[in-house]
Every structure is written in C-alpha cells, then in structure tokens.
Amino acid sequence: MTKREQPAPAYLPGHGLLTDRTVVVTAGAGAGIGAAVVRRALEEGAKAVVVGDTHERRLAEAHQEWASEFGADRVRTRVCDVTREDHVEALLDLADEVGGVDVMVNNAGLGGTVSLLEMTDTQWSSVLDVTLTGTFRCVRAAGRRMVARGHAGVIVNNASVIGWRAQEGQAHYAAAKAGVMALTRSAAADFAEHGIRVNAVSPSLAMHPFLEKVTTPEFLTELKGREAFGRAAQPWEVANVMVFLASDYSSYMTGEVVSVSSQHA
C-alpha cells in the first residue's frame, strides 16, 4: 500500500545550543546535510563555523551566502579533500585561528551503485577512502587537537542506515558506513578519559538535489515508501539531531549511533 506523504514540519528557530563554539564541518557546501549543519550551527550561536569541501566553486558561493547573512567573521572556508591528511590539518588550522575546534562534524562521504559482482578494486577503495578512512583522519586530527588543548570537545560523524541494512549495489558504501559506526564507538572509548564525546547519526533518506541527480524517480518513490511518513527527511531535520549531539543537551551520550529515520515505525 502506498503511504500518503506527510508534510515536513516548520523550520525551527535557533536556541543558542552552540553559543561561542567553533564548529568544523567537512563536505559542508552545496545543498545537503553538511550545508544544513553549517546553517544550523550559525543559527545556534556558533562563534565561527569552518567549512571544508572539495568543490571550490560551490564552496566559494556558499561562503558568500553565509558571510552575507551571518557575518564574514563567523564563516571560514577552505578546499578540503579528506583523503589528504595535509588538507584535514589545514582545515583545523583555520579553526585554531578562532580558538580551536570545539565541535567536529564529519560529513564527507562518497557513494555509488554497483553490484559486488562487477565492483572494481578502485570503486571499492575510493568509497572506503573518503567515507571511512577520511572520517578516521578527521576524528584523529580533531581528537589530537582537543587533547592538546585539554578541551572537552565533541565529534559527530555521519553514518547511514545502510550500515545496518543491506541494499542492492551498496556493498562498498554499506561497509564504509558500518565502519564509521564502529569507529565512532571505538573513538568514544579512547577519548572518554579526555572528556571528548564521539557520536554519530544514521539517516535513512534525506532529500537534496544531488540525490535527485543520481537516483531515478522510480527508486526515490520506492525509498520514500519505506518511510512511515511517506517522505524523505529534509536535510535540516538530520542537522537538528547532529546539533543536539554536539550540544550540552547530550552531555551523557558517547559512542552512540542515533538513527534519524521513520523506517522503524
């Protein structure tokens, strides 16, 4: 039976959850979850948001928009490829210029659809290097800087329900996202003695223009049908949960993977 699509709720105003904090976001330009996190962090009072992305033009356009709306002193951007350690360190250097990273949001990921029977080593390695190893590089770099400052910071990773549930053509992405979940739990255990919390979100389906470009309308309709609300999440609905995990409202949570999904209903 086709589910009737429920309307998305009204956009929520900020409540100062990240007041005076410096937030770093990877893959933050464009129109997806990363960009929604950047906007939400600024609305929640972040002192500065440092944004990395591999797409130079898109990053410049996003920077201009955010700086115009929130003030140039609160937004810093740098081209960042998370497969390169020097890029990750340079992004965090920007955060050091405004007091150092308080919140690290690891959003960078790479997908693709191909049967495991036809998947090449290059396709497998490319997805794992960005989605899993890239997240590892960022968690390690941010964690080291937080420890050096004696600072109880927060790290939030972006996983996926595909890390829990099989989906055709997604072996590389599923393995990477399952790895992000395991990395989150292990990093939380390693960092706990330093007061650093590490959690992750696991979205099911969040709608944005890039997804529409790489997915057929028929498959999107099928995916929406799996959701109890009959619709995809808005990127800001996922960002809201990431901001919650970054805030003091989740002060006793670490090593957790929070499902942002209506599939269980």
Side-chain angles (χ1 to χ4, degrees):
M1 183 178 68
T2 302
K3 294 184 178 71
R4 184 168 67 88
E5 185 170 338
Q6 300 296 314
Y11 192 82
L12 297 172
H15 291 80
L17 299 185
L18 300 179
T19 297
D20 293 333
R21 299 182 192 184
T22 297
V23 180
V24 179
V25 183
T26 62
I33 293 171
V37 171
V38 173
R39 175 169 291 277
R40 186 84 269 181
L42 290 164
E43 292 168 343
E44 292 291 351
K47 174 175 63 178
V49 180
V50 178
V51 188
D53 201 286
T54 57
H55 198 295
E56 187 171 2
R57 178 187 58 78
R58 188 169 61 199
L59 186 62
E61 291 172 352
H63 181 277
Q64 184 176 11
E65 177 185 340
W66 294 321
S68 175
E69 185 173 352
F70 297 101
D73 59 324
R74 295 181 64 201
V75 183
R76 300 187 176 211
T77 58
R78 182 182 294 275
V79 173
C80 178
D81 178 352
V82 298
T83 68
R84 293 183 52 176
E85 185 176 4
D86 61 326
H87 277 215
V88 172
E89 295 293 346
L91 188 67
L92 288 167
D93 285 343
L94 276 185
D96 284 346
E97 293 176 9
V98 283
V101 57
D102 297 304
V103 176
M104 181 81 198
V105 178
N106 297 311
N107 177 66
L110 178 66
T113 301
V114 58
S115 168
L116 187 62
L117 295 171
E118 300 169 358
M119 189 177 294
T120 66
D121 282 11
T122 299
Q123 288 172 315
W124 172 271
S125 298
S126 295
V127 169
L128 268 289
D129 197 19
V130 174
T131 308
L132 177 55
T133 310
T135 300
F136 152 74
R137 293 185 186 98
C138 293
V139 169
R140 179 181 61 185
R144 284 173 172 172
R145 295 196 187 211
M146 290 173 182
V147 169
R149 289 170 59 206
H151 183 66
V154 184
I155 298 172
V156 182
N157 298 324
N158 193 358
S160 169
V161 293
I162 291 178
W164 283 318
R165 307 169 194 169
Q167 184 169 307
E168 183 180 357
Q170 297 292 317
H172 46 1
Y173 189 67
K177 289 299 190 180
V180 169
M181 295 177 186
L183 170 65
T184 297
R185 292 188 288 266
S186 295
D190 287 342
F191 294 178
E193 66 177 295
H194 302 286
I196 300 167
R197 298 190 297 110
V198 189
N199 292 294
V201 296
S202 181
S204 54
L205 179 64
M207 186 55 62
H208 54 84
F210 180 73
L211 179 63
E212 292 180 303
K213 288 181 181 179
V214 300
T215 309
T216 65
E218 295 76 18
F219 190 48
L220 277 178
T221 299
E222 179 186 337
L223 292 176
K224 290 178 182 179
R226 299 176 186 176
E227 302 289 331
F229 294 137
R231 68 171 178 87
Q234 296 296 315
W236 60 263
E237 292 181 288
V238 180
N240 283 350
V241 181
M242 298 177 90
V243 166
F244 161 74
L245 291 173
S247 78
D248 291 340
Y249 278 100
S250 60
S251 59
Y252 197 66
M253 293 178 65
T254 197
E256 294 297 326
V257 180
V258 180
S259 177
V260 186
S261 165
S262 68
Q263 289 188 12
H264 290 296

